Amino acid sequence: MTAHPVDVVSTAPYGAAADPYDAAGWLSATARTLYERGWMPGTSGNVSVRSGADAVLITASGLGKGRLTSADTVLVQADTGTPVRPGSPRPSAETCIHLAVYRAFPMVGAVVHAHPPYATALASRRYRAGGGPVRFTDLELIKGMGRAYLDSIEIPLFANWREVPRIAAEVGDHFAHPATDPAPALLITHHGATTWGADLAEASDRLECLEALCQLALLIGD
Amino acid sequence: MTAHPVDVVSTAPYGAAADPYDAAGWLSATARTLYERGWMPGTSGNVSVRSGADAVLITASGLGKGRLTSADTVLVQADTGTPVRPGSPRPSAETCIHLAVYRAFPMVGAVVHAHPPYATALASRRYRAGGGPVRFTDLELIKGMGRAYLDSIEIPLFANWREVPRIAAEVGDHFAHPATDPAPALLITHHGATTWGADLAEASDRLECLEALCQLALLIGD
Amino acid sequence: MTAHPVDVVSTAPYGAAADPYDAAGWLSATARTLYERGWMPGTSGNVSVRSGADAVLITASGLGKGRLTSADTVLVQADTGTPVRPGSPRPSAETCIHLAVYRAFPMVGAVVHAHPPYATALASRRYRAGGGPVRFTDLELIKGMGRAYLDSIEIPLFANWREVPRIAAEVGDHFAHPATDPAPALLITHHGATTWGADLAEASDRLECLEALCQLALLIGD
Amino acid sequence: MTAHPVDVVSTAPYGAAADPYDAAGWLSATARTLYERGWMPGTSGNVSVRSGADAVLITASGLGKGRLTSADTVLVQADTGTPVRPGSPRPSAETCIHLAVYRAFPMVGAVVHAHPPYATALASRRYRAGGGPVRFTDLELIKGMGRAYLDSIEIPLFANWREVPRIAAEVGDHFAHPATDPAPALLITHHGATTWGADLAEASDRLECLEALCQLALLIGD
């Protein structure tokens, strides 16, 4: 077997001391892995890690994630999304959604956004049926969303406004007064799923669990 | 093609003479393979092998199975599930289910538990329809469950109690008076599948067959 | 990308001059590839090549196909299925079906049998609906079954008798008076698919096309 | 993780200065990748790049795409499809469809044609329901088809005439008077999907997005 790329992802949380260079390597490896799974078709999807108190390292815009290298990442200011260094590649167009998550959850070290098919389809079916959060009940994999002792979780579902900052604003508003211990994930109808955690490994693990939950929900039916 | 990890799994049954160090390597390789297939999303799933008369080597708790190494395993006492050595990683929270299987079947050398989607969905649909065992009839892959000459097999279906020892107790009770030649597998609703065999290769082979049987049952329909 | 195992399969037909040693390497590589795709769960599936006028090299019985090596093959007599050399591994229990195909089609150099899910499910649904051949109409991939200029093909569908020689006998009877230019494939209900061709590459290509045709038939619906 | 083959595909558009030798390597790597994904079963599928003003390099006919090498490509004249050099392998039987696309869109540098299952099934269902273009609305991945600011796109749907030049002629006619900014893709019922772009990476990215859009459309339902 070839080693899995996530094998080399440290489980240490990213923080002020994280080396941006290594973080870039981990970011691009994570993006390539998600691409290989078919969850980032074309140039879609974006991944970020917190870098110190005031910055976020995020994948660059418009690149095929299967071809991503360390150079295809950009350090942006956590408050504005502006690249820290002149001449940086253009950050992902969805940087503002990542920043909304980092602002809402100070302990979060990494955010992953992708287009896994079952999560996207379940979100869209729910939205078409009137919207509201997607709730999972009884399924064991709920524990993989960091919620070991609950029988159900709710994943908030957002509209896919053409203007990305409008999505980010709604995400920010939603989490300004979150429920106690909200699930580390959100869904955007007709678009995809976003998860977060202390580090890239945890954020990726949660995306896997969310997609598996959504596949099970579709297979089990009503 | 890259070599398949199971390529290096010995087909010799694990027993008193098994080298725990090599067993750890095989355990982690098996877990990585099942993760790669998508059957152990996030940190879910657990794998064990019997180690001598009184101990079981099992994967540690809470780790991403795609990142597992030999060090992420722990030797526990077969009767209590307590780590044999102080300072060991914490064993899987589902160790007690593995131990119930080893107690019921003295010849079993390995147990594999994962969350393959079709088996989990079929178990949940059956449970919602009133429960009782999942029966497969006529399908050739029944032979892959160690039952060459039968036209059908039944896989017992258990409730997914929040208290894992309660699941283990029901598994133990069920197999205390098993049918003649019971199938080497069980399903837990909304949770996943567990299979066993003389060694890791056989237990894994049976998990593959069970998942394929469940996929066929869903594709063929009623 | 890692090289695909079929990369090393010669496209030259196997014949009297074929080196059995290399054929064993190709056989096991083909089996591993089909296993990796999920079409040979557990120890299921079997692959063979003609070896000279009177013998067939086939995969051994009861082994996980993901772990197969050159040593896990056995040369059998084409008329009886008996191993040519004493001390050989036991040949696949389905050797007689392979031999029925070689007898019916003298130009065939390789036979592949596996359990791809869509082909198995479609066969089972057709059988349950009354049986008769599975017909594909209009689909472009019909050309991949060696039938470039027809609008439809029929794949014969056989019962899955517990006694494998009875299946082989029915296959032999069916092809004793075949239609003009029969499709190089057969289906066995609740069991799987068998394809053949001049060599392993062609037989494998046809299995891929048959499985894709069956997936499309299920996705398109009635 | 093994490196993804598209990792080595340059993102520079192919043009008059492109080295045909490297283009052949990129063509065959792209074909192998699409084969590995299951989108080119058997010997199906074909890929091409523009080579200078008057020629196109295309994959050869009748070869398994998983086994393709640089030598399995042929330079053809862009107007006639005739091989530029005597003794070349026979070009893909669907070369004329590629040429129709190159003639319609002078800026296109690469064309990819494959048989991804969801696109093929959706095309066939639409055709059976009366035909007309396949329209995608609201889905975020529309942006992956080069159409960032539209709420919907239409992919033209063609009949699968047995005579391939007739398909090519209908493609040519369709795009002789295209809508403003037509989508870089077409579907052929019961057959597959074709996408194009400035280079192989862009054409491949768009095929991924189209297949993901079709999978979502089938999962979301009406």
Side-chain angles (χ1 to χ4, degrees), chain B residues 1-2 4 6-7 9 11 37 137-141 149-151 201 205 208-209 212 215-216 219-222, chain C residues 2-5 32-33 35-36 41-44 66-67 94 115 117-118 120-121 124-125 128 160 162 190-191:
Chain B
M1 189 178 63
T2 46
H4 193 270
V6 181
D7 274 331
V9 173
T11 56
R37 244 176 239 162
T137 304
D138 295 330
L139 288 163
E140 178 70 10
L141 282 171
Y149 299 110
L150 294 181
D151 290 329
D205 284 351
E208 292 172 20
C209 288
Q215 182 182 16
L216 286 172
L219 283 173
I220 296 173
D222 296 321
Chain C
T2 46
H4 193 272
R32 289 195 306 268
T33 298
Y35 168 83
E36 291 285 340
T43 64
S44 70
R67 301 183 289 272
E94 293 169 354
H115 298 193
Y118 299 111
T120 307
S124 303
R125 289 166 75 129
R128 195 180 54 192
N160 188 33
R162 187 186 296 182
H190 292 82
H191 184 146

Side-chain angles (χ1 to χ4, degrees), chain C residues 32-56:
Chain C
R32 289 195 306 268
T33 298
L34 293 169
Y35 168 83
E36 291 285 340
R37 244 176 240 163
W39 295 1
M40 290 186 167
T43 64
S44 70
N46 32 76
V47 187
S48 70
V49 291
R50 207 188 277 274
S51 180
D54 301 324
V56 164

